[in-house]
Amino acid sequence: MKIILVGSGGREHALAWAISDSPLCDELIVTPGNPGTKAYGRRADIAAEDIDGLVHLAQTEQADIVVIGPEVPLVEGLADRLEAVGIRAFGPTAAAARLEGSKRFARDFCKRHHIPQPQWDYFSTAEPAREFAASLSGGAVVKADGLAAGKGVTVCDNAEQAATSIEEMLAGRFGAASAQILVEERISGPEFSAFALLDGEEAVWLASAQDHKRAYDGDEGPNTGGMGAVSPSRFETDDLREQIMQDIIRPVAKGMAAEGNPYRGILYAGLMLTDKGPQVIEFNCRFGDPEAQVILPRMKSDLLSAIYTVTEGGLKNFDMRWDDDSAVTIVMAAKGYPGSYEKGSRIYGADQLESASGCLVFHAGTSQNADGQIIANGGRVLCVTALGATRQQARMKAYAGVGEITWDDEFYRSDIAAE
Ligand code: AMP
Ligand code: GLY
């Protein structure tokens, strides 16, 4: 099969690595890709947001399947556009991707299908939003309804803080994405990311993971796209997995199908394990980045066969196998990220997928200069993944891998998977 993979991050490097390993993969094109994905096939230079360009590329290349990595093209309907021209897409339609693209849709959907979630309400004016926030005990969370690159959420300790962010958001802090907002009860407990594969009817469990979203050690500093991750989560048990499948994942698959929006692709449920059981914080309609970099190395089944099965239906009979090992990934970022940072330093030690210490080095924000040398060119630059019989072993090995890579402005957290 000829596959096009859309995206350019560490997640897409991990996807390219896993897809190209499949006996079903005859040719892989990654667009726009990064220097790390070059080893697995051609790069095309169509951006992940250029829907027309991607449809055109898929048609000219006569692709069999287009695998869509990031959320923006999914929310904007790339899967629908491809299906309209007879090309299989891996990833939900725009209607189904509203589970990520509209927080209000996700909350209303959970309500309709009795999926456990915090109390919430939806507002487009400040006064009733402030009143609702003040009525919640234990603080409130204010969220932009639309996509805000992972930044549209403010967790508030009290009603005054909530009032300030309500006003800022409605005044257009995230443009159209925050013209409408949600105010939620602030729940507490460990966070748990659950990943499942859905084929429009059935759902199968993939893996759990925990990411580390804050920039600095000890969960200090600004929120980022993720500074590291571990899979499985230390909270995963057989019982918890079954509870999440029964109360959350299967109801999503059934509910979306019943509403005429069958969900096909990865479902990433961001949950909080409260004393009343797991509750939904958010849904994402794709793999996480950097969660894919710890989930895919643990997958023993053929990823492309699983993807094909999702586009075909019949996932129920797919034999999904996993490595019992733990995986840890450390994000090596540019000093200053998620704020402003320097680009252009030469990176030493990241030329091979497998490092001397046996880690997998996935590229994210890198480029290559005219001499073919690897250059830092983004906020999150590289992800170094290691597998180990225990979380601790995986962690030690991943940090040994990080130690083999250097550039002038590197920075990373030293406490990923430490607890
Ligand atoms: P989100 O972008 O929806 O994942 O939210 C970002 C972070 O805000 C989450 O990872 C949680 O730590 C926190 N958060 C979101 N919603 C809630 C909530 N209702 N209660 C407590 N924390 C929340
Ligand atoms: N690492 C969080 C995400 O991909 O949404």
Side-chain angles (χ1 to χ4, degrees):
M1 286 194 287
K2 188 169 187 176
I3 311 298
I4 294 180
L5 168 65
V6 178
S8 62
R11 166 181 53 206
E12 285 75 24
H13 187 175
L15 282 165
W17 167 72
I19 289 170
S20 66
D21 200 37
S22 169
L24 297 177
C25 182
D26 297 312
E27 191 179 349
L28 176 65
I29 300 169
V30 190
T31 183
N34 66 42
T37 66
K38 272 185 17 186
Y40 315 102
R42 250 185 309 143
R43 278 178 80 177
D45 61 359
I46 315 292
E49 295 75 28
D50 180 359
I51 308 295
D52 289 339
L54 292 168
V55 174
H56 181 72
L57 176 73
Q59 285 184 296
T60 12
E61 293 288 350
Q62 299 188 314
D64 293 297
I65 304 182
V66 178
V67 177
I68 305 166
E71 64 275 19
V72 170
L74 289 164
V75 170
E76 291 188 354
L78 177 57
D80 310 67
R81 292 278 306 277
L82 290 166
E83 276 159 26
V85 296
I87 297 174
R88 290 169 191 245
F90 179 70
T93 60
R98 281 181 298 169
L99 279 179
E100 173 164 3
S102 166
K103 293 193 189 290
R104 181 187 182 184
F105 175 85
R107 289 293 185 216
D108 272 327
F109 176 86
C110 287
K111 194 155 138 192
R112 288 195 293 279
H113 298 279
H114 312 290
I115 295 170
Q117 61 175 337
Q119 278 188 65
W120 66 280
D121 210 341
Y122 167 79
F123 303 94
S124 49
T125 55
E127 179 67 30
R130 280 196 303 261
E131 276 172 26
F132 180 70
S135 77
L136 297 168
S137 57
V141 180
V142 183
K143 299 186 175 182
D145 175 46
L147 286 182
K151 299 193 182 91
V153 175
T154 320
V155 180
C156 308
D157 292 327
N158 52 48
E160 292 76 58
Q161 276 181 17
T164 309
S165 43
I166 286 166
E167 269 140 40
E168 279 177 11
M169 286 213 197
L170 288 173
R173 178 151 160 226
F174 299 105
S178 69
Q180 282 143 355
I181 58 167
L182 276 78
V183 178
E184 298 182 358
E185 169 196 6
R186 181 176 172 182
I187 53 175
S188 57
E191 291 192 40
F192 185 94
S193 302
F195 291 83
L197 204 50
L198 276 63
D199 71 356
E201 282 174 49
E202 302 289 338
V204 299
W205 174 267
L206 287 179
S208 67
Q210 188 202 342
D211 76 346
H212 294 71
K213 285 207 172 101
R214 299 296 195 99
Y216 312 132
D217 283 7
D219 289 332
E220 302 279 345
N223 244 330
T224 70
M227 293 301 292
V230 53
S231 175
S233 156
R234 68 194 164 104
F235 299 102
E236 184 178 331
T237 60
D238 292 349
D239 286 350
L240 179 62
R241 201 161 59 210
E242 190 39 44
Q243 188 181 8
I244 292 170
M245 285 303 286
Q246 188 180 308
D247 294 350
I248 296 166
I249 307 287
R250 284 191 208 106
V252 171
K254 291 209 162 32
M256 293 301 282
E259 293 184 3
N261 300 313
Y263 190 103
R264 292 189 190 86
I266 302 282
L267 180 68
Y268 162 1
L271 310 175
M272 204 167 254
L273 307 180
T274 73
D275 49 17
K276 289 186 269 176
Q279 297 196 4
V280 174
I281 295 281
E282 61 162 4
F283 289 119
N284 296 305
C285 60
R286 47 159 178 97
F287 264 123
D289 187 345
E291 290 85 341
Q293 293 90 305
V294 283
I295 293 174
L296 295 172
R298 293 185 53 232
M299 191 173 184
K300 287 212 285 199
S301 311
D302 182 44
L303 174 64
L304 187 52
S305 303
I307 288 175
Y308 180 79
T309 308
V310 166
T311 66
E312 187 72 14
L315 194 57
K316 199 168 46 179
N317 301 320
F318 191 85
D319 184 19
M320 193 69 77
R321 287 173 193 232
W322 294 91
D323 199 323
D324 287 335
D325 278 2
S326 288
V328 169
T329 196
I330 317 293
V331 173
M332 298 185 75
K335 219 172 273 163
Y337 172 78
S340 57
Y341 49 81
E342 298 289 321
K343 292 182 180 178
S345 303
R346 180 167 169 199
I347 302 172
Y348 296 89
D351 301 313
Q352 303 288 333
L353 169 73
E354 249 184 83
S355 70
S357 55
C359 295
L360 296 166
V361 179
F362 295 118
H363 287 225
T366 63
S367 64
Q368 250 169 332
N369 65 15
D371 298 326
Q373 293 159 337
I374 306 291
I375 305 294
N377 191 41
R380 292 193 292 177
V381 178
L382 295 164
C383 303
V384 181
T385 298
L387 287 165
T390 64
R391 190 189 344 274
Q392 190 57 20
Q393 282 171 13
R395 169 172 197 271
M396 300 293 285
K397 187 169 161 188
Y399 276 110
V402 164
E404 291 163 1
I405 297 171
T406 55
W407 76 91
D408 277 350
D409 303 298
E410 70 178 81
F411 126 84
Y412 54 87
R413 276 181 63 161
S414 64
D415 63 348
I416 301 299
E419 71 293 315

